[in-house]
């Protein structure tokens, strides 16, 4: 199967009113208030766990890239 990349403006894809913000700052204040919820894991620990979970895939992905580039 052939993959073709198309460049489309965000307004075309998402519709009018979409704002493509370059720097997003996550905020869970509404969730905390609406659901009376509090995270059990800090953002630092959550990111560390995510990175650890996928770290084994980094070398496999690099090998695929090297293979595609003929290295």
């Amino acid at each position: 199967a052939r993959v073709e990349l198309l460049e489309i403006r965000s307004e075309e894809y998402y519709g009018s009113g979409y704002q493509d913000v370059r720097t997003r700052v996550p905020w869970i204040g509404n969730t905390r208030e609406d659901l009376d919820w509090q995270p059990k894991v800090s953002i630092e620990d959550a990111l560390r766990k995510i990175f650890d979970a996928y770290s084994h895939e980094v070398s496999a992905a690099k090998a695929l890239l090297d293979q595609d580039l003929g290295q």
Side-chain angles (χ1 to χ4, degrees):
R2 182 176 179 207
V3 176
E4 184 178 348
L5 298 178
L6 302 174
E7 186 171 337
I8 299 174
R9 293 178 359 152
S10 59
E11 187 174 303
E12 284 181 62
Y13 186 81
Y14 293 107
S16 63
Y18 174 77
Q19 295 179 8
D20 191 11
V21 180
R22 290 199 172 267
T23 305
R24 298 181 187 276
V25 179
W27 185 70
I28 60 170
N30 289 345
T31 303
R32 287 179 172 172
E33 293 172 16
D34 294 346
L35 301 177
D36 191 30
W37 174 84
Q38 188 70 19
K40 296 178 182 177
V41 177
S42 71
I43 188 69
E44 292 84 4
D45 288 341
L47 288 172
R48 188 172 290 108
K49 289 178 182 185
I50 291 169
F51 295 150
D52 288 346
Y54 288 99
S55 65
H56 68 281
E57 295 184 17
V58 172
S59 60
K62 183 178 182 326
L64 286 174
L65 181 61
D66 289 346
Q67 179 183 348
D68 286 346
L69 295 176
Q71 295 180 357

